[in-house]
Amino acid sequence: MDKKHYCLVGFGNHSKSKIIPAIKKSNGIIDGVVSKKTKNFGSLIFFSSIDEAFTKVNSNTIFIISTPPDLHYSQAIDVVKRGHNVFIEKPVSLSVIDLENIISISDKKNVFFAETLMHEYSDYFQNFISFFNLNKHEIKKIVVNFILPSLPKDTFRDNDATYPINLFDIGCYPISLINKLNSKAKYKITEILNIGNVFMEQYSIKTKILNANVTINFGVRDSYQNFITITKTDDVEYKFEPFFFGREGNRTIQKIQGKQISTKEVYVKDCFQTLFEKNNQYWIDTQMTRNRHMLNNLSSLENLFKQYNDI
C-alpha cells in the first residue's frame, strides 16, 4: 500500500504531541507544515502560507487543519477548492451554512473531508454504541461528564472570541456522542456556571433519549471528570472511563450493582493513529453519513449558542 502524504496547517502543541507522532506511527509522510512561527522540529519543512504549500506538495497530499475554530472554514474551503482531501479539527466550522458550503464544494471536487473526533475511531467507542443500542429500551438515566481542571495555555482559548469557546470546543464531544445515540435529541441549557469566564465555565444540559433522562456536564471546573454512566431500569449502573480520550492506554467499564462492583479493563490503541491508518476509500464511502452527522452536531451547537445568548 502506498504511503499517505500529509500537510499540516497549524503547529501548536496538539500537532506536535498528537498528530505528528500518529502520522509517523501510521507510516505516513509529512510533506510540510503551514505555520507563521517556524521552528526547528526534526526534518519538517515549513511553509509560510497555504498558498505556498499548494505549490510544493503532491496532488494527493491530504491537508490536516489544526488551527483555531474560527479559521477552519476559510482554510477548508481553500483546500477543497484546490482538490485536496482534508481532515479538520473539531468543530469543522462555526455555522451550518459554512458547513453546507464545504459539503457542496467537496462534492463537486470529488474530495473527502472529515472532522477529527479521534476517540470515535476506537473499538471502545464502537462497543459503547453497541451496548447502548442493545439496552436502550431498558435505560432510565445517562450522565455524561467531561470536565477539565484547566485549559491549555498559549492557545486560541486565550484570545477574545465572538462565540463561547467551551461550548464549541469541549461541547463538541458530548453533543456528537448524544447525536449518534439519537439524531433527534433536543438540548436545553439548564445552567452555566461563571458565564463569560472561559477559564472556569461549566455547562449543564438536559435532553431525553427514549425513556432515559440525559444530563450532560462539560466545561472547566476544579477537577478532571471524563466518564459516562448508564443506569438501567433494574438500577444496575455501568460506568465508562475515560471516555473522550484519544491516546493509547487502558479504559475501564465498571458494572455497579448495589455494593458489588466489577471492573473490566480495555486496551485502546492510539486513536489518532487508527484514524490515519484508514484508507481513502473508507472516507469516501462514509462521507454522506458523516455529512449528516456533522450537520446535526453543528445545528445542535448553533441552537445552544442561541440559548447561551438568551441567558
Side-chain angles (χ1 to χ4, degrees):
M1 185 175 67
D2 293 337
K3 291 187 175 182
K4 290 196 285 187
H5 290 248
Y6 300 92
C7 179
L8 191 56
V9 181
F11 196 56
N13 185 61
H14 181 74
S15 298
K16 298 172 191 174
S17 65
K18 300 183 181 71
I19 295 176
I20 291 174
I23 290 174
K24 291 180 177 178
K25 284 191 287 186
S26 68
N27 292 316
I29 297 172
I30 302 174
D31 292 340
V33 178
V34 177
S35 176
K36 294 180 180 179
K37 298 178 180 178
T38 59
K39 296 179 181 179
N40 291 329
F41 198 84
S43 58
L44 289 180
I45 298 170
F46 285 87
F47 308 125
S48 61
S49 67
I50 295 181
D51 284 339
E52 182 188 357
F54 289 140
T55 67
K56 302 288 179 66
V57 302
N58 298 323
S59 60
N60 64 343
T61 296
I62 300 170
F63 279 72
I64 302 172
I65 295 176
S66 182
T67 54
D70 55 347
L71 299 177
H72 289 178
Y73 170 68
S74 61
Q75 292 171 336
I77 285 292
D78 235 2
V79 171
V80 296
K81 279 183 177 178
R82 299 284 188 131
H84 286 272
N85 300 312
V86 58
F87 292 117
I88 311 169
E89 283 293 318
K90 48 74 190 166
V92 67
S93 69
L94 295 177
S95 77
V96 169
I97 292 175
D98 288 348
L99 176 54
E100 288 174 336
N101 201 23
I102 298 173
I103 291 171
S104 175
I105 295 173
S106 64
D107 185 54
K108 290 175 184 176
K109 291 292 183 177
N110 198 30
V111 297
F112 73 74
F113 75 99
E115 185 177 45
T116 54
L117 287 167
M118 303 295 188
H119 70 284
E120 294 186 356
Y121 298 95
S122 69
D123 290 341
Y124 183 77
F125 180 84
Q126 297 306 324
N127 289 340
F128 173 85
I129 299 295
S130 297
F131 173 86
F132 171 83
N133 288 331
L134 185 64
N135 295 279
K136 60 186 177 183
H137 295 290
E138 302 167 17
I139 296 172
K140 67 177 182 179
K141 185 170 72 172
I142 301 173
V143 176
V144 182
N145 275 20
F146 191 26
I147 309 295
L148 305 179
S150 63
L151 293 173
K153 298 295 178 63
D154 300 321
T155 69
F156 69 89
R157 301 169 184 87
D158 294 329
N159 302 323
D160 292 334
T162 57
Y163 61 95
I165 291 174
N166 283 353
L167 177 60
F168 281 86
D169 183 23
I170 305 172
C172 282
Y173 293 94
I175 296 302
S176 177
L177 170 68
I178 298 303
N179 281 339
K180 279 188 181 293
L181 302 183
N182 180 4
S183 61
K184 297 181 180 179
K186 303 295 182 184
Y187 302 90
K188 175 67 177 176
I189 295 177
T190 53
E191 185 178 31
I192 302 179
L193 301 178
N194 292 329
I195 187 167
N197 181 355
V198 69
F199 294 102
M200 291 293 284
E201 184 172 288
Q202 179 182 319
Y203 296 74
S204 288
I205 292 172
K206 301 285 187 183
T207 187
K208 200 171 181 69
I209 298 177
L210 298 177
N211 295 318
N213 293 313
V214 181
T215 301
I216 307 168
N217 302 305
F218 66 87
V220 181
R221 290 306 294 166
D222 300 319
S223 61
Y224 180 66
Q225 300 177 45
N226 183 359
F227 62 83
I228 294 172
T229 60
I230 287 182
T231 306
K232 296 177 64 176
T233 51
D234 59 4
D235 289 326
V236 177
E237 181 181 298
Y238 296 83
K239 186 176 184 180
F240 300 78
E241 184 178 28
F243 192 85
F244 305 105
F245 196 62
R247 300 230 187 182
E248 177 183 13
N250 287 334
R251 315 289 193 266
T252 63
I253 303 172
Q254 279 191 336
K255 181 180 179 181
I256 305 166
Q257 190 168 11
K259 294 182 178 180
Q260 293 184 330
I261 300 175
S262 59
T263 301
K264 176 183 177 182
E265 285 201 347
V266 179
Y267 168 78
V268 175
K269 178 181 172 182
D270 183 340
C271 300
F272 298 82
Q273 180 183 351
T274 299
L275 182 146
F276 294 129
E277 287 177 344
K278 291 186 178 296
N279 60 43
N280 288 0
Q281 193 60 47
Y282 166 84
W283 300 108
I284 293 167
D285 291 344
T286 59
Q287 188 68 63
M288 288 184 64
T289 299
R290 287 184 290 103
N291 286 349
R292 286 194 295 270
H293 184 62
M294 287 185 286
L295 286 166
N296 256 345
N297 291 342
L298 207 45
S299 177
S300 300
L301 289 169
E302 280 194 331
N303 176 266
L304 289 167
F305 185 18
K306 183 179 183 302
Q307 292 183 41
Y308 179 97
N309 286 331
D310 292 341
I311 292 177

